[in-house]
Amino acid sequence: MKNFKRTTLLLVSVLLLGISCKDKPAEKENEVGTTSKNPNIVIIYLDDLGYGDLSVYGATELQTPNIDALANGGVKFTDGYASSATCTPSRYALLTGMYPWRNKKAKILPGTAPLLISTEQQTLPKMLKNQGYQTAIVGKWHLGLGTGIVDWNQRVSPGPNEVGFDESYILAATQDRVPTVYIDNGHVVGLDANDPIFVDYKNNFEGEPTAIDNPEMVKMKWHHGHNNSIVNGIGRIGYMKGGESAKWSDIDMADHFLEKAQNYVKTHKDKPFFLYYAMQQPHVPRTPHPRFVGKSGLGPRGDVIVEADWCIGEFMKTLEEEGVLENTLIVFSSDNGPVLNDGYYDDAVEKSGNHDPKGGLRGGKYSIFEAGTRVPFITYWKGEIQPSTSDAIVCQMDLLASLANLVGAKETTTDSKEILNALLGKSKIGRESLIIEATGKTALRQGNWLIIPPYKGKNFREKVGIEVGNFPEFQLYNLKEDIGQQDNLAKSNPEKLAEMIDIYESLRGK
Ligand code: NG6
Ligand code: CA
């Protein structure tokens, strides 16, 4: 009798399960008590966009309506961080969930650097791929390619496709570095076999003009660096020869990547996908399409932010038109803080007027002060995320563990923290502590407090006009009361200082 009852119960539950499965996609409870789901996931990642560069983060001289709409309809984080104040380490942390300072090679890479991520390493796209996701990157890579000496005329690998991306359409390093070509799943796009491409970061190729020797050929003047090969009238970092038909058009880059991102959605919408849309704006050289020139009144830097905002609006329209908007989680952020003069005379300083890209923070790109790493950070998921503002401490490095929880994967990475509820706006509790990094220097954020250890070198980097945070003594700030880091409390609060040094050393090692 008992057995009969149990069998009937089992049968009924199996039947019920069967019925409910037909109605809804499979869902199950995950560790934080939310239901695991497989929405499409899109990371929209800007390059050098500052905490104060969006109207929704307080900019008044510049309007970014499309990004504002994401923030107003999703979670706008006030304390969202890139792991680092430069590009390569931040992207490394975003994709691997590892602190970049654990890997000594995680610093700004030349275009010829080997792949920084080991093909054995866990990555965000690998984790999602294991859960059945289709995965792709469109845009800036800057994590190295190949194993040492790259032949750009053959398939370039390993690269994104070997660390978890099914598909990749990238620029290798930065817009100001050679090779100035797109790479489609390892192949240089538009390359003519009769005009092979060669790249070198040490020596020029005989007879090739450079920005330093041939200023008459340069349209955008270089201020520091950027005086090697000239492509489209712009001096670049590094030397390049050949590959004429493969060279990208700078002013069309935004449209080009947008179209690739839109096509990816259109052709992959029937199964869950992960798209890492890594835009190149507002990194130098700032080359807005002519239809955006003069649109911001702030010069090319403002214009390319307006252009990026337009691209995002168009991309959102595609999600809607393709019927996947309500099934797509969007994470918007930037790889590091802002810089005005990053090596070209492009009026960014002269035309900035009352615009403060730092949004009241101290420092900027390259800086261990807040403006280096604290960046706009937005999550948006129509119908799932309720609009709110959150002061939870969240870091891009946490996406791996958090999204693993969302899609029902087990993740054991140590540095990436599982803070899914904070990311979905269901909780205001993020991480307790975070080590931030800037060109090799690290600092600790713990609760409202921030400690910067003593560092050698000059505080003010003249060429870029940024305070990078080097001082011979400890700095201690209460960010709740002093977001601009003007009041060093290290001397007046020795207890807090000692407590913070302890935590810093336990996390970072002495
Ligand atoms: C610096 C470049 C700067 C920028 C940066 C990388 C010079 C003088 N400066 O070395 O222009 O390219 O590297 O930026 O060459 S990042 O956002 O990719 O980290
Ligand atoms: Ca950057």
Side-chain angles (χ1 to χ4, degrees):
M1 184 66 182
K2 242 186 182 173
N3 265 350
F4 171 77
K5 249 191 182 166
R6 213 182 281 157
T7 322
T8 334
L9 242 166
L10 204 76
L11 257 171
V12 171
S13 21
V14 167
L15 267 172
L16 277 173
L17 207 75
I19 293 167
S20 62
C21 277
K22 258 181 224 151
D23 297 338
K24 288 194 256 149
E27 291 185 353
K28 58 181 185 294
E29 281 261 306
N30 60 15
E31 276 168 27
V32 291
T34 47
T35 313
S36 88
K37 293 189 177 145
N38 290 329
N40 306 311
I41 298 168
V42 179
I43 297 179
I44 303 177
Y45 208 48
L46 267 74
D47 193 0
D48 298 1
L49 185 81
Y51 191 66
D53 272 327
L54 302 174
S55 30
V56 74
Y57 275 81
T60 50
E61 310 302 298
L62 189 69
Q63 293 308 310
T64 50
N66 294 299
I67 306 170
D68 292 6
L70 296 179
N72 292 329
V75 188
K76 178 187 136 190
F77 291 93
T78 58
D79 294 50
Y81 287 87
S83 75
S84 300
T86 56
C87 169
T88 301
S90 287
R91 285 161 205 259
Y92 179 82
L94 169 79
L95 292 183
T96 66
M98 295 280 294
Y99 272 127
W101 43 264
R102 295 196 195 283
N103 183 342
K104 283 204 166 55
K105 293 181 178 157
K107 49 186 190 197
I108 300 172
L109 296 177
T112 45
L115 181 63
L116 182 64
I117 302 172
S118 149
T119 51
E120 306 297 308
Q121 231 171 313
Q122 174 64 312
T123 66
L124 180 56
K126 267 190 200 171
M127 180 279 289
L128 291 168
K129 201 170 145 107
N130 283 338
Q131 295 302 115
Y133 273 74
Q134 314 169 83
T135 57
I137 169 175
V138 169
K140 174 173 173 173
W141 177 239
H142 211 190
L143 287 163
L145 292 167
T147 52
I149 298 162
V150 173
D151 179 352
W152 302 91
N153 304 291
Q154 307 288 327
R155 178 159 190 270
V156 179
S157 94
N161 298 61
E162 286 69 33
V163 296
F165 290 104
D166 298 326
E167 292 176 50
S168 66
Y169 193 96
I170 58 167
L171 69 85
T174 57
Q175 202 186 333
D176 56 355
R177 280 175 176 73
V178 299
T180 50
V181 296
Y182 298 119
I183 302 172
D184 184 356
N185 292 304
H187 299 281
V188 170
V189 177
L191 189 63
D192 173 357
N194 297 319
D195 181 26
I197 177 173
F198 300 100
V199 178
D200 194 317
Y201 269 72
K202 284 206 181 90
N203 302 306
N204 191 19
F205 299 94
E206 221 188 301
E208 292 296 308
T210 59
I212 192 160
D213 291 331
N214 304 82
E216 75 287 353
M217 290 175 67
V218 171
K219 283 188 296 189
M220 193 190 284
K221 264 180 75 185
W222 54 277
H223 176 273
H224 56 280
H226 308 100
N227 56 22
N228 302 153
S229 288
I230 306 164
V231 181
N232 305 333
I234 302 169
R236 312 279 166 156
I237 308 171
Y239 304 100
M240 176 172 154
K241 183 190 167 183
E244 204 49 51
S245 59
K247 287 178 184 169
W248 67 47
S249 155
D250 290 277
I251 55 170
D252 293 314
M253 185 176 282
D255 287 339
H256 193 69
F257 283 145
L258 170 64
E259 198 191 325
K260 296 284 166 195
Q262 287 173 316
N263 279 343
Y264 185 78
V265 171
K266 288 178 191 163
T267 50
H268 294 77
K269 61 178 177 187
D270 295 333
K271 266 178 66 191
F273 64 79
F274 166 56
L275 173 63
Y276 172 33
Y277 179 19
M279 301 171 75
Q280 87 283 8
Q281 303 106 321
H283 195 282
V284 294
R286 293 145 187 156
T287 52
H289 187 274
R291 65 188 193 279
F292 293 100
V293 172
K295 283 288 177 300
S296 68
L298 301 176
R301 185 174 185 278
D303 295 346
V304 296
I305 294 175
V306 170
E307 177 187 69
D309 182 73
W310 176 85
C311 291
I312 292 167
E314 293 303 295
F315 180 76
M316 294 304 295
K317 272 187 215 160
T318 302
L319 290 178
E320 187 152 35
E321 282 160 15
E322 298 301 319
V324 293
L325 183 59
E326 282 164 34
N327 190 31
T328 304
L329 166 64
I330 290 157
V331 180
F332 172 93
S333 201
S334 169
D335 67 341
N336 53 253
V339 54
L340 291 176
N341 180 350
D342 209 11
Y344 294 98
Y345 287 96
D346 66 359
D347 279 347
V349 176
E350 294 75 4
K351 293 202 172 154
S352 63
N354 291 327
H355 178 58
D356 175 18
K358 309 186 296 310
L361 304 179
R362 187 170 178 181
K365 182 176 180 177
Y366 310 109
S367 178
I368 198 69
F369 284 127
E370 285 295 277
T373 50
R374 203 197 283 210
V375 286
F377 197 127
I378 299 162
T379 55
Y380 176 92
W381 183 355
K382 195 174 178 198
E384 279 285 329
I385 291 183
Q386 297 306 312
S388 65
T389 298
S390 173
D391 62 3
I393 302 175
V394 298
C395 179
Q396 294 157 7
M397 189 172 61
D398 303 326
L399 290 170
L400 176 54
S402 306
L403 295 178
N405 194 18
L406 174 71
V407 302
K410 264 256 160 291
E411 187 47 58
T412 52
T413 328
T414 49
D415 296 334
S416 182
K417 294 267 178 262
E418 198 295 297
I419 48 164
L420 180 63
N421 278 339
L423 291 175
L424 298 181
K426 293 180 179 159
S427 156
K428 291 272 160 80
I429 300 167
R431 26 163 82 231
E432 240 173 76
S433 57
L434 173 70
I435 303 267
I436 51 171
E437 186 265 346
T439 62
K441 299 186 293 275
T442 49
L444 167 73
R445 165 103 196 239
Q446 164 88 17
N448 291 329
W449 294 86
L450 182 109
I451 185 186
I452 304 174
Y455 285 108
K456 291 198 186 99
K458 283 208 294 186
N459 172 44
F460 192 68
R461 232 200 237 194
E462 267 146 45
K463 282 186 175 141
V464 288
I466 287 172
E467 284 189 281
V468 291
N470 296 335
F471 285 96
E473 64 278 343
F474 274 102
Q475 297 177 72
L476 175 72
Y477 298 102
N478 182 337
L479 295 176
K480 193 95 192 160
E481 284 160 14
D482 177 25
I483 197 174
Q485 297 178 294
Q486 295 301 310
D487 201 4
N488 180 3
L489 303 174
K491 288 213 170 71
S492 61
N493 198 340
E495 298 83 32
K496 194 73 198 174
L497 178 67
E499 185 193 322
M500 291 290 283
I501 293 176
D502 266 3
I503 304 168
Y504 175 76
E505 287 178 348
S506 71
L507 292 172
R508 180 72 175 91
K510 285 192 192 183

